[in-house]
Amino acid sequence: MLLLLPIAHTQDIKVMQALFTATSAVTVTGLAVLSTPNDFTTFGHLVIASLIQIGGLGFMTITVVVLRGMGQQMDISKQLIAKESFGIARFDQLVDTAKCVLVYALIIESIGFIILLAHWYQTLPLGDAIMQSFFYTISAFNNAGFALHDDSLTSFRGDWVVNLVISGLFVIGGLGFVVLMDIVKRRRWSRFGSATKLVLIATTVLNVLAFSLFWLFEAHNPETLGTLPLSEQVITAWMQAVTPRTAGFNSIDFALVNDESTVLTIWLMIIGGGSMSTASGLKITTVVVLLMATYAYLRRREQVAIGHRQISPETVFKALSLTVVYFFTVMLATLILTITEQANLTDITFEAVSALGTVGLSRGITGSLSEPGEAVIIFLMLIGRLGPLTFLYLIARPKRENLKYAKAEIQVG
């Protein structure tokens, strides 16, 4: 409704366009059917930035902090929901966790804002430098991908400060607040929890591998990296390798990349970031648990272990269920979009995965989506931010059964 106000836009916009933009912002996706810099005013940009911040930190974080500040208590059912949302074990950690999430976000965003402001003030008027630094900091840390330039970060392709600060913000935001709190609290690698070590190692390996592969795939492509100087190739390959895990910024046109880079990007969008982070996707811990479960089965081991710690069967089942629901959702949405849209299968699949992973990257079909297509993408963005399993829990609540059934011998594979 705020985006529909005359002071929020520069030209008439449709209700569906405003809804699409608001959903994309609050789910920290970044897909846009309108031009963010040209179709919205400064007020509109502030509304979008506010939605990004609320969506990135999570409604539960803000709810707990606000209720605590008003001196109100949450009933037991709401505390159970908040505990599950934060991924903590005890109720007495709720308020402290919510406060830490808020404080850490503001500190990291403030550092990013100051660096970008100092850099952009050298070439821009103070007002423009402040607004640009503020918007990009919020968008980057919350893995949103919204930009105040129609070409996203293409005009800053050779700017190492902008690229490193923005990529640093969304990589940190994608680690997860539980990981950040563990790092600050324990400070030494030997004292870090298993989940923290897993996320840090997997993120590092994945980013380095993605960077190497993307550079290898695109180094000789004249439409992307082939004509750039070496320094620009390096920073551009880095940005495009780390951004698919839900950040959504781009410094090249993804419609021009090679097929192998497109496939790599789709897989990175599916994997996503860390749990309880500003990123979405399957989550890197989910993927690692599935890989280790597969490894344990192939080695005929009775338990799944990571770093000499056993993973519970419930966690393995949850990871498997999430993956099945995730891929089924992508395939169903892709099928519907092939009916409603006039685009090739690659572009449609890319769009669907990007929306469900709340990434925001596109191969150029977002602006030409039909209204049914926009509705499908809105639905995918909401599911992606809520989490497929959470969304299914809203439809059918989990029910425990006390019955034990006889075993059935069924051949699979």
Side-chain angles (χ1 to χ4, degrees):
M1 292 175 66
L2 288 173
L3 291 176
L4 286 172
L5 295 176
I7 60 172
H9 50 80
T10 59
Q11 60 182 14
D12 291 339
I13 62 175
K14 299 177 181 178
V15 174
M16 181 60 84
Q17 292 174 326
L19 178 61
F20 189 100
T21 303
T23 305
S24 183
V26 83
T27 58
V28 293
T29 303
L31 290 173
V33 292
L34 297 170
S35 169
T36 304
N38 298 322
D39 292 337
F40 292 101
T41 63
T42 299
F43 176 80
H45 295 155
L46 291 175
V47 171
I48 292 172
S50 300
L51 290 171
I52 291 171
Q53 184 74 305
I54 293 171
L57 295 181
F59 290 103
M60 194 56 65
T61 300
I62 296 172
T63 299
V64 171
V65 172
V66 169
L67 288 178
R68 181 67 173 182
M70 295 172 63
Q72 297 185 19
Q73 299 293 327
M74 300 174 67
D75 59 42
I76 189 65
S77 62
K78 292 184 177 63
Q79 289 186 46
L80 283 169
I81 295 172
K83 186 169 75 73
E84 178 69 20
S85 173
F86 289 142
I88 56 179
R90 304 198 313 268
F91 288 114
D92 58 0
Q93 297 176 319
L94 272 180
V95 176
D96 289 339
T97 301
K99 286 181 178 178
C100 284
V101 169
L102 198 58
V103 170
Y104 288 5
L106 293 178
I107 290 175
I108 295 169
E109 287 175 345
S110 296
I111 295 172
F113 171 78
I114 291 171
I115 297 174
L116 288 177
L117 178 60
H119 179 69
W120 272 326
Y121 183 53
Q122 300 175 20
T123 56
L124 296 173
L126 180 59
D128 292 342
I130 291 175
M131 184 60 197
Q132 197 158 287
S133 302
F134 172 78
F135 191 91
Y136 276 103
T137 297
I138 297 294
S139 184
F141 179 72
N142 292 289
N143 281 243
F146 275 93
L148 292 181
H149 298 80
D150 279 330
D151 61 359
S152 191
L153 296 179
T154 302
S155 54
F156 302 105
R157 189 161 52 195
D159 193 325
W160 279 68
V161 174
V162 171
N163 281 270
L164 289 179
V165 171
I166 289 179
S167 64
L169 284 169
F170 64 66
V171 168
I172 293 173
L175 290 176
F177 291 106
V178 172
V179 172
L180 296 178
M181 287 186 286
D182 196 33
I183 292 173
V184 173
K185 181 180 180 180
R186 301 186 181 183
R187 300 185 182 183
R188 287 188 295 181
W189 179 265
S190 59
R191 298 175 60 186
F192 289 165
S194 299
T196 300
K197 292 180 179 179
L198 173 61
V199 171
L200 292 176
I201 293 174
T203 299
T204 301
V205 171
L206 194 59
N207 285 345
V208 171
L209 181 61
F211 164 70
S212 303
L213 288 176
F214 193 90
W215 193 4
L216 175 66
F217 294 156
E218 296 298 319
H220 300 292
N221 183 354
E223 302 290 341
T224 54
L225 302 183
T227 59
L228 299 179
L230 180 60
S231 61
E232 284 193 33
Q233 283 193 15
V234 172
I235 193 61
T236 303
W238 165 256
M239 176 61 73
Q240 299 315 128
V242 297
T243 196
R245 291 179 46 239
T246 88
F249 293 101
N250 63 281
S251 49
I252 60 174
D253 187 348
F254 265 92
L256 302 176
V257 300
N258 294 321
D259 289 343
E260 53 267 36
S261 299
T262 301
V263 174
L264 172 65
T265 302
I266 289 175
W267 276 105
L268 292 172
M269 291 193 294
I270 291 172
I271 293 172
S275 297
M276 197 190 158
S277 71
T278 58
S280 295
L282 272 178
K283 301 297 174 61
I284 196 167
T285 45
T286 303
V287 175
V288 173
V289 167
L290 284 178
L291 290 176
M292 296 310 296
T294 303
Y295 176 77
Y297 174 77
L298 294 176
R299 297 297 298 269
R300 296 294 190 268
R301 293 178 177 176
E302 295 183 356
Q303 62 182 13
V304 180
I306 299 177
H308 304 292
R309 293 290 187 274
Q310 181 179 348
I311 305 301
S312 69
E314 182 181 0
T315 300
V316 176
F317 280 128
K318 184 177 181 180
L320 178 61
S321 301
L322 178 60
T323 304
V324 171
V325 172
Y326 198 95
F327 277 97
F328 178 80
T329 304
V330 168
M331 289 187 291
L332 179 60
T334 301
L335 174 62
I336 297 173
L337 288 173
T338 56
I339 298 172
T340 63
E341 308 306 313
Q342 299 297 320
N344 64 59
L345 182 59
T346 300
D347 293 348
I348 287 175
T349 304
F350 195 95
E351 194 84 4
V353 173
S354 179
L356 187 59
T358 70
V359 180
L361 293 175
S362 176
R363 287 173 60 87
I365 70 170
T366 311
S368 60
L369 289 172
S370 63
E371 288 204 352
E374 290 179 1
V376 171
I377 296 299
I378 288 174
F379 191 63
L380 287 174
M381 291 189 291
L382 288 172
I383 294 177
R385 190 56 188 153
L386 286 173
L389 288 183
T390 302
F391 185 80
L392 288 181
Y393 290 162
L394 295 176
I395 301 173
R397 294 182 178 276
K399 182 180 179 181
R400 293 185 178 275
E401 292 185 351
N402 296 319
L403 296 175
K404 295 290 185 180
Y405 297 101
K407 290 183 178 180
E409 296 296 333
I410 299 176
Q411 299 298 322
V412 297

